[in-house]
Amino acid sequence: MSSADSTCYTVVFETAAEYPSTSDLRSALQKGSDEVKIDTLRKIIISTINGNPQARPYLLKLLGPTLMMPIIQYVLTSKNKHLKKLLHFYWEVCPKYDENGKLKQEMILVVNAIRNDLQHPNEYIRGATLRFLTKISKDAELLEPLIPTCRSCLEHRHSYVRKNAVFALYSIHREFENLVPDAAELMTAFLAAETDSACKRNAFVFLAHAAIDKAVDYILSVGETIGGLDELLQMSIIEVIRQDCKNESAHRSRYIRGIFELLNASSHAVKYEAATTLTTLTQNPAAVKAAASCFINLVIKESDNNVKLIVLDRLETLRAKHDHVLDGLIMDVLQVLSHNTDIEVRRKALGIVLSMTSSRNVEEVVLFLKKQLQRTQESDTEKSPEYRQLLIQSIHVTAIKFSEVAASVVHALMDFLGDSNNPSALDVVSFVREVVEKFPHLRGAITQKLIGTLTEIKSGKVFRGVLWIIGEYTESVEDIQSGMREIRKVLGEIPILASEQRLLDEANGVVDAEGGEDKEKEKVAASRPKVNADGTYVTETAYSSSANARLEAVKAAAKPPLRTLLLGGDFFTGSVLAASLTKLVLRFTAASKDSAASNILRAEAMLIMTSIIRVGQSKFVTVPIDEDSNERVMNCIQTLSELSNDKAVHEAFLDDTKSAYSKMLTAQEKRAAEKKEAESTKKVVVQVDDLLSFRQFSKKTADDAIDYDEDVSKATGASEVQEDFMSNLSRISQLTGFSDPIYAEALVKMHGFDIMLDVLLVNQTPNTLQNLCLDFATLGDLKIVERPSVYTIAPHGFQSIKATIKVSSTETGVIFGSILWEGPNMGESCVILNDIHIDIMDYIKPAYCNEAQFRSMWTEFEWENRVNVNSSLSDPREYLQHVMKVTNMSCLTPEGATSGDCDFLSANMYARSLFGEDALANLSVERTEQGTITGHVRIRSKTQGIALSLGDRITMGES
């Protein structure tokens, strides 16, 4: 038996305690009780598996015949079942052949003992022994005398013995067909007489291997009763049908009828395999629909969410191949939303629904989604807000794609503007904003509805979006006046500062009126000294403490929502309000001929803006107004105070912002279309000058069959295309110097989540290096799989060593190590290896997310790495391309926003690792007078490793 075919055994941990000698082991086997023999035999088995003669010289004796005869004499005759099981392990791993490759004489006694166990009256011992024969199925000399006894076990009264006898003969026939020459006839007769389901399944698998034509005859014989067979036998039948149909089969139509029967099986696994196989047998629309219905039924009834996701993936693949055939099942797919609570399952199901939606069924889909949206308000489960947001996004996509439902949807969604779940309300704002831009005939009704919902809104972000829409798209005089009235309601009494001061004065007046004895008590209490943190003494007056308390009480009093936001320091919303008021006034002035009403509206708007600035500089706000907001509000006041027919001002407020938003929507649609086109464009797998396969000439009557043998060969790398020589050279790392006794270099290859190290060692000395050990260690989330082995290298000889390292996260890892060996006179020597730095760029791929997702992750991620930029490049856009190249990140900022001649550039970037880690980056740079680029790059991620690693890449790229 060649080394390539030798069995791979498990390595079992062995304690470092002193191991007993051979004589002690022999004595324990000879005189010990069954418990002692069990412990001794276990030690022998572990040492045989882990045998390392260089490390433990005494193991040479254990691996020889020294202990085999004591085991045969004192253990083989025992009736203890535990010992018998351990003996099976020992016969499996012990050396059975001598130096000349011939079977050892002692094994004749072993074969005789195995034959006796195969004839034992206890069915457990018979069955366990038959299972043992499958482990030594490569040893023909051992098995040949046991064949008659195995065949006799096929007629045993107990099914446990019969089913193991079938698999034992199957394992033997798979290796040596000559030992069971009549396997097909034997299994055919066995199947005809057998009643036990497990035995029939094993026999059918054996028959399919020995003679697939007879297995096909059996399938045809069971005919219409295939649905009542055992689950395992049904799975085996499906496998045989799949194998037989790889070639042109005359029984395809009968197979299809049988598979249709299995679609109604009780087992979910059988249903899944039957539906998958059916799509490979035929492309008939009825069969495709039946398979899809089976998949949908599985998703609804299966309890495991992982299985649901796998089945949904299969359903999506089926839908992509058979476009519009499954559109009639869209309502069945929607039922998945009602029968599942897992958000990932719902997200994937909604993705399939959106791809199946057409103008014929869009109204039913939207109606169902609206009902689901209503249910999320009634339920208080933990996932309800996230599911509500998902539904709103789905309705958004559907309404934009099919304009006929936009009007019925938009008003229903605007009821969620006051939702306590901020992301859901923001999605509604985003949807409404896109609808009013794309469907002008809906603008009047939508803006009226928005104006009416202002009092229900609680979030500053939602207020900003709604105010922008009202300012941009409210056009009629009546709607503008109505909008101003509602804005006054959500602001409360104007001026804000004067009304807040009056409330404070009234609170002070009530306290002053109380007077008398209480005030005297306050003064007495106030005379107590207070010790500061630095140890000094101060006297705190009751007036100051009570005044602060009253101020806080005034701040905490119930107020209208927009006023509450302004007093809380949200002056960005205040600046958006000022811009919206300016737009409303400009539009009102242009549309109305009533100059008095126009002046009143302008004065009211200016009063509100002035009030925002005044209160922002007072003690009533939590945070003072910032410079940017102050400047924006002042610009709006100046615009209204100098109101004229200045064309530039009108364009800036009434046209530019709307056109900017329109351009942004156009850029998003263009990017989505490019992405869809890239996904739909099929890659050229076969070049015009490639050798043609005969399969190309066959008529395509079904989907591509699933060839598991081909999949296994691909998974094991047997069919991989070898890398070219120059590519391998670029991945070689030198580990030692040319003057070291041992020269070492490593070829570093990335295979998914594994790092393969192919290390070449060259003995540069005239001496033999014994017990050489290459020992690796790692830093970061890297894990060494194999333990080091020991080698001997001849003078000026070579040795190739392979090592596998598992990667668990995107973090810059370092591999270091040393080489230890024994030279002349058993002197120990050591060489320290150079470090190998793992490039994380192999695990990071460019990705895309929308603005809302980016902002959400930016807020959520806690690790930030700020990298200062000082580059000699002169063009900010050129530096952006450089950063994208060295970090493998994609730019989320639209191309239109980064175009043009400007000395300043700000852009967002995003990437995702193979491990599902998200990496965000914000680039903010400017060009100096000297022509260089300065600024910074802020990188955020959920884990520290990826943020630091990307920062290092940017720093190294500049040097």
Side-chain angles (χ1 to χ4, degrees):
M1 187 168 58
S2 64
S3 59
D5 296 332
S6 59
T7 310
C8 176
Y9 299 111
T10 304
V11 178
V12 184
F13 174 71
E14 195 172 0
T15 60
E18 185 176 351
Y19 197 84
S21 63
T22 306
S23 58
D24 294 337
L25 294 172
R26 183 195 297 270
S27 177
L29 292 173
Q30 181 177 356
K31 301 177 182 178
S33 61
D34 283 350
E35 287 73 18
V36 175
K37 289 180 181 179
I38 288 171
D39 185 59
T40 305
L41 191 56
R42 184 183 287 112
K43 289 180 180 178
I44 294 173
I45 292 171
I46 292 174
S47 297
T48 306
I49 294 174
N50 296 350
N52 190 345
Q54 291 90 343
R56 296 190 177 101
Y58 59 81
L59 287 179
L60 286 170
K61 297 181 179 179
L62 293 183
L63 298 177
T66 311
L67 287 173
M68 185 175 287
M69 280 308 297
I71 291 174
I72 294 173
Q73 286 177 310
Y74 307 117
V75 181
L76 196 58
T77 56
S78 174
K79 296 183 179 180
N80 186 293
K81 293 180 181 178
H82 195 169
L83 267 178
K84 283 186 177 296
K85 190 66 177 176
L86 283 176
L87 271 176
H88 291 165
F89 287 130
Y90 180 69
W91 300 138
E92 183 183 349
V93 302
C94 74
K96 306 174 188 64
Y97 299 87
D98 58 19
E99 292 81 1
N100 300 322
K102 294 183 178 180
L103 192 69
K104 292 181 179 179
Q105 296 296 323
E106 295 89 340
M107 295 307 295
I108 298 175
L109 300 173
V110 175
V111 171
N112 187 53
I114 293 174
R115 183 188 295 109
N116 292 336
D117 284 344
L118 289 175
Q119 297 171 341
H120 200 281
N122 187 315
E123 59 269 11
Y124 167 76
I125 293 178
R126 278 203 190 198
T129 308
L130 287 165
R131 288 172 65 88
F132 161 66
L133 292 184
T134 63
K135 306 291 182 64
I136 59 169
S137 58
K138 292 182 181 291
D139 298 305
E141 293 182 58
L142 281 175
L143 295 170
E144 190 172 2
L146 302 174
I147 297 297
T149 316
C150 287
R151 295 174 69 115
S152 67
C153 288
L154 291 174
E155 302 172 1
H156 193 272
R157 59 180 177 80
H158 204 286
S159 61
Y160 178 71
V161 177
R162 297 198 301 274
K163 72 177 183 182
N164 283 299
V166 171
F167 256 0
L169 288 170
Y170 174 39
S171 302
I172 295 169
H173 181 269
R174 194 166 48 189
E175 299 295 334
F176 310 101
E177 292 186 11
N178 60 302
L179 295 182
V180 194
D182 59 339
E185 293 77 11
L186 182 65
M187 287 300 105
T188 303
F190 182 83
L191 267 174
E194 184 57 55
T195 56
D196 183 75
S197 58
C199 296
K200 291 175 75 172
R201 181 258 179 184
N202 290 1
F204 181 78
V205 172
F206 188 2
L207 183 62
H209 173 78
I212 193 169
D213 55 334
K214 293 188 179 297
V216 169
D217 292 340
Y218 177 78
I219 295 175
L220 299 177
S221 68
V222 296
E224 302 298 328
T225 62
I226 191 172
L229 299 178
D230 180 69
E231 172 189 350
L232 294 176
L233 184 55
Q234 288 175 339
M235 294 286 285
S236 301
I237 288 174
I238 292 173
E239 179 62 29
V240 171
I241 290 175
R242 189 182 287 129
Q243 289 180 6
D244 190 41
C245 288
K246 286 180 182 178
N247 306 313
E248 287 298 325
S249 174
H251 309 296
R252 185 180 292 268
S253 59
R254 299 187 65 179
Y255 287 156
I256 292 173
R257 288 199 297 271
I259 293 294
F260 262 106
E261 288 287 330
L262 293 179
L263 290 179
N264 300 318
S266 57
S267 168
H268 289 179
V270 173
K271 281 185 176 181
Y272 177 78
E273 291 295 335
T276 304
T277 305
L278 183 61
T279 59
T280 67
L281 296 179
T282 178
Q283 281 188 328
N284 184 282
V288 173
K289 282 187 177 181
S293 298
C294 183
F295 285 141
I296 295 168
N297 191 35
L298 278 176
V299 176
I300 292 174
K301 293 185 177 180
E302 178 59 45
S303 58
D304 191 336
N305 289 330
N306 294 319
V307 174
K308 291 180 181 181
L309 292 172
I310 292 171
V311 176
L312 285 172
D313 279 335
R314 180 67 67 183
L315 182 62
E316 170 60 22
T317 305
L318 195 64
R319 185 212 60 78
K321 288 184 178 180
H322 304 276
D323 201 15
H324 300 305
V325 174
L326 306 182
D327 286 355
L329 300 175
I330 189 169
M331 297 309 295
D332 295 335
V333 181
L334 282 170
Q335 294 302 318
V336 174
L337 302 178
S338 303
H339 292 83
N340 291 277
T341 57
D342 184 74
I343 192 65
E344 291 302 323
V345 174
R346 284 172 162 172
R347 181 176 284 111
K348 191 171 286 290
L350 276 173
I352 296 173
V353 167
L354 293 179
S355 59
M356 294 169 65
T357 305
S358 63
S359 56
R360 295 190 299 271
N361 54 33
V362 63
E363 292 184 0
E364 295 177 355
V365 172
V366 169
L367 181 62
F368 185 89
L369 294 180
K370 285 164 67 175
K371 289 180 179 178
Q372 289 289 308
L373 196 59
Q374 193 65 33
R375 288 181 184 176
T376 60
Q377 282 187 311
E378 299 169 0
S379 63
D380 295 328
T381 58
E382 183 181 352
K383 294 290 184 180
S384 290
E386 194 173 355
Y387 181 42
R388 186 183 310 138
Q389 184 180 0
L390 183 62
L391 287 171
I392 291 172
Q393 291 171 352
S394 302
I395 294 174
H396 178 176
V397 173
T398 307
I400 297 301
K401 188 176 180 181
F402 302 97
S403 57
E404 61 267 25
V405 298
S408 63
V409 166
V410 68
H411 290 284
L413 286 189
M414 280 194 284
D415 294 335
F416 292 89
L417 285 173
D419 194 352
S420 56
N421 182 35
N422 197 30
S424 299
L426 288 175
D427 285 334
V428 174
V429 170
S430 175
F431 168 61
V432 173
R433 187 169 54 195
E434 192 168 349
V435 168
V436 294
E437 171 61 29
K438 289 190 173 181
F439 308 113
H441 63 282
L442 299 176
R443 289 177 182 173
I446 291 175
T447 51
Q448 290 174 8
K449 177 73 173 179
L450 283 178
I451 291 169
T453 57
L454 278 175
T455 55
E456 301 171 7
I457 300 174
K458 304 177 183 66
S459 166
K461 290 183 178 179
V462 179
F463 256 122
R464 291 196 288 272
V466 171
L467 288 171
W468 185 87
I469 296 172
I470 292 173
E472 288 292 344
Y473 298 100
T474 305
E475 297 173 350
S476 68
V477 173
E478 293 78 9
D479 289 345
I480 293 174
Q481 290 176 334
S482 173
M484 288 296 293
R485 286 195 298 271
E486 292 300 320
I487 290 173
R488 285 292 298 268
K489 285 183 183 178
V490 294
L491 274 175
E493 188 180 349
I494 301 294
I496 302 175
L497 179 59
S499 60
E500 293 294 315
Q501 185 63 49
R502 189 177 69 253
L503 289 175
L504 180 61
D505 293 341
E506 289 176 357
N508 291 333
V510 171
V511 174
D512 291 340
E514 289 179 359
E517 188 177 336
D518 291 338
K519 193 175 293 187
E520 293 296 328
K521 289 181 180 178
E522 279 188 14
K523 290 183 179 180
V524 173
S527 63
R528 296 177 182 175
K530 180 181 178 182
V531 181
N532 282 343
D534 58 358
T536 58
Y537 289 89
V538 296
T539 300
E540 182 183 20
T541 64
Y543 176 76
S544 62
S545 60
S546 60
N548 290 335
R550 286 192 291 273
L551 179 60
E552 293 300 324
V554 170
K555 287 182 181 181
K559 296 179 177 64
L562 189 53
R563 188 189 193 97
T564 303
L565 291 172
L566 292 173
L567 293 176
D570 188 0
F571 290 102
F572 182 31
T573 303
S575 64
V576 174
L577 172 62
S580 298
L581 290 174
T582 305
K583 294 173 186 177
L584 290 176
V585 172
L586 290 174
R587 198 168 279 115
F588 185 89
T589 305
S592 174
K593 297 180 180 179
D594 189 351
S595 58
S598 178
N599 285 333
I600 292 173
L601 198 67
R602 179 169 58 159
E604 188 175 3
M606 293 177 66
L607 177 63
I608 293 173
M609 298 179 202
T610 310
S611 179
I612 292 172
I613 294 177
R614 290 285 307 279
V615 78
Q617 298 168 345
S618 70
K619 61 184 177 181
F620 292 98
V621 293
T622 308
V623 180
I625 188 170
D626 56 283
E627 261 185 65
D628 290 342
S629 299
N630 187 39
E631 186 175 350
R632 287 193 65 191
V633 176
M634 288 298 295
N635 286 338
C636 292
I637 294 174
Q638 185 177 0
T639 300
L640 292 182
S641 65
E642 300 172 359
L643 189 60
S644 63
N645 293 324
D646 190 347
K647 189 175 180 180
V649 173
H650 280 258
E651 285 182 357
F653 277 97
L654 301 182
D655 298 329
D656 289 352
T657 52
K658 189 183 295 185
S659 62
Y661 178 65
S662 179
K663 287 180 181 177
M664 188 184 81
L665 286 181
T666 305
Q668 288 179 352
E669 291 173 357
K670 181 181 177 183
R671 179 180 293 182
E674 290 174 352
K675 183 179 179 183
K676 186 176 181 180
E677 184 180 356
E679 291 176 352
S680 61
T681 303
K682 295 182 178 179
K683 295 181 179 179
V684 178
V685 179
V686 181
Q687 298 296 332
V688 292
D689 56 346
D690 283 351
L691 183 66
L692 288 177
S693 170
F694 287 107
R695 191 178 294 179
Q696 301 292 333
F697 295 111
S698 62
K699 183 181 179 183
K700 185 177 180 184
T701 58
D703 290 353
D704 298 332
I706 300 173
D707 192 340
Y708 288 112
D709 295 336
E710 185 181 349
D711 290 346
V712 170
S713 65
K714 288 181 179 179
T716 55
S719 61
E720 287 184 1
V721 179
Q722 297 297 320
E723 293 183 350
D724 61 309
F725 180 68
M726 295 306 295
S727 173
N728 287 339
L729 283 180
S730 64
R731 293 178 175 272
I732 291 178
S733 300
Q734 184 176 340
L735 302 180
T736 62
F738 292 109
S739 60
D740 287 320
I742 295 179
Y743 173 74
E745 64 182 24
L747 175 62
V748 184
K749 289 185 178 180
M750 307 291 183
H751 290 283
F753 303 120
D754 296 340
I755 298 174
M756 306 293 295
L757 295 181
D758 190 352
V759 184
L760 174 66
L761 302 180
V762 182
N763 181 4
Q764 302 192 110
T765 68
N767 305 314
T768 299
L769 306 182
Q770 298 180 346
N771 295 335
L772 183 142
C773 178
L774 176 62
D775 191 12
F776 281 119
T778 60
L779 284 178
D781 287 336
L782 305 176
K783 182 180 180 182
I784 299 174
V785 178
E786 298 101 345
R787 65 177 188 172
S789 300
V790 178
Y791 303 90
T792 298
I793 305 181
H796 303 290
F798 298 83
Q799 179 67 49
S800 179
I801 302 175
K802 290 182 171 60
T804 304
I805 296 173
K806 289 284 185 185
V807 185
S808 58
S809 72
T810 312
E811 184 175 347
T812 300
V814 180
I815 304 172
F816 57 95
S818 60
I819 303 175
L820 303 168
W821 73 90
E822 292 179 1
N825 303 322
M826 302 301 288
E828 292 188 356
S829 303
C830 174
V831 172
I832 305 299
L833 304 179
N834 296 330
D835 295 345
I836 302 175
H837 292 267
I838 302 303
D839 188 2
I840 68 163
M841 290 301 106
D842 291 321
Y843 297 98
I844 293 181
K845 304 296 179 187
Y848 174 77
C849 66
N850 57 40
E851 182 184 357
Q853 292 171 330
F854 183 89
R855 290 182 181 276
S856 175
M857 288 188 288
W858 187 268
T859 306
E860 177 187 350
F861 292 170
E862 55 186 9
W863 289 104
E864 177 175 318
N865 184 16
R866 181 187 173 108
V867 181
N868 292 323
V869 175
N870 194 357
S871 174
S872 57
L873 297 175
S874 58
D875 186 3
R877 282 187 296 277
E878 185 181 346
Y879 183 77
L880 172 63
Q881 295 297 325
H882 166 72
V883 172
M884 290 168 59
K885 182 179 179 181
V886 298
T887 59
N888 275 2
M889 303 185 85
S890 61
C891 181
L892 302 180
T893 305
E895 186 177 349
T898 60
S899 61
D901 186 15
C902 183
D903 291 338
F904 178 81
L905 176 65
S906 179
N908 293 331
M909 294 174 288
Y910 176 62
R912 190 174 178 85
S913 74
L914 294 179
F915 308 96
E917 300 167 313
D918 298 298
L920 314 175
N922 172 259
L923 172 74
S924 296
V925 294
E926 62 177 341
R927 182 165 46 205
T928 62
E929 295 179 355
Q930 291 77 24
T932 60
I933 301 293
T934 61
H936 60 266
V937 181
R938 296 168 64 193
I939 304 167
R940 285 196 181 184
S941 65
K942 190 171 288 187
T943 56
Q944 182 183 20
I946 190 170
L948 295 178
S949 301
L950 289 175
D952 293 341
R953 291 286 303 181
I954 295 173
T955 305
M956 291 167 61
E958 292 183 7
S959 58

